Amino acid sequence: SQELEQSPQSLIVQEGKNLTINCTSSKTLYGLYWYKQKYGEGLIFLMMLQKGGEEKSHEKITAKLDEKKQQSSLHITASQPSHAGIYLCGADPQNDMRFGAGTRLTVKP
Amino acid sequence: EAQVTQNPRYLITVTGKKLTVTCSQNMNHEYMSWYRQDPGLGLRQIYYSMNVEVTDKGDVPEGYKVSRKEKRNFPLILESPSPNQTSLYFCASSLKGTSYEQYFGPGTRLTVT
C-alpha cells in the first residue's frame, strides 16, 4: 500500500519566517492533496496537485509536486500565527485515501 | 450552510456496548468516508462509500460496520467496541471521490473503557 512520510514531524518558527514541509511517497504519485487541521478539529482542504511539476498557491501557501522524486513540498512565506496547525498530505490510489502522519506547525509571535 | 455534521461529538462507553456515530452532509455529495485519528499513526481510513448502497473497506475496517441507505447519511457502527477503538473519528464527504475536495466533520471523540 502507499505510504506517505512527512518531514519534519513538528516545526516551531518565528512569525514572519518562511518554512517548508515535505511529503514523500513510497509509490508513484498520481495526485497529492494538502489539508490543514486545527488541533482536535476537522481537516480543511488547501490544494490538490495532479501533474508532475504542478505548482499551486493559496494566499501565502505554495505547494509543488515532483513526480520523479515522488515528493511534494508545501512552502509558507512570511508565516503568521493563523498558519499554526497540523498539515497533512494525502494520496488516493483508488479512492481509498492515505494520509501522512502530519507536521505540527507552531508560529511564535 | 454547507456542512458535514457528526453526532455525538464526545462519547464515553464501555466495552461491548453497541454504538452508532451518525454522519450527515447537506451538499448532495456522492462520496462519504470515515477516518480515525490516533497519535503517532495519523489519519487512517476505515470505510468509504462511492454512492448509495456502495461501500468499501479502507485501511482499518476491522470492528466497524457502515451503511449507506440514503445519500446524505453514512453512520458508523461499532457492534462490540473495544478499548483499542478509543480514538478521534472524522466523517468526510466529497462530490464524487477523493479527487475532489473532501469536507470534514468536526470529529467525534470516543473513549471505550
Side-chain angles (χ1 to χ4, degrees), chain A residues 7-9 15 17 22 24 33 35 37 39 49 52 54 61 68 78-79 87 92 99 103 108-109:
Chain A
S7 62
Q9 287 185 339
E15 183 176 356
K17 295 293 186 186
N22 291 306
T24 303
Y33 309 86
Y35 285 82
Q37 182 182 24
Y39 304 118
L49 304 163
E54 187 173 14
I61 301 175
K68 287 181 185 173
S79 58
Y87 290 82
D92 58 338
F99 283 96
T103 294
K108 288 191 167 181

Side-chain angles (χ1 to χ4, degrees), chain B residues 11-13 19 78 85-89 108-112:
Chain B
L11 180 59
I12 300 174
T13 189
L19 67 93
L78 284 74
Q85 292 178 298
T86 292
S87 187
L88 179 58
Y89 290 86
T108 294
R109 192 168 289 281
L110 172 66
T111 302
V112 184

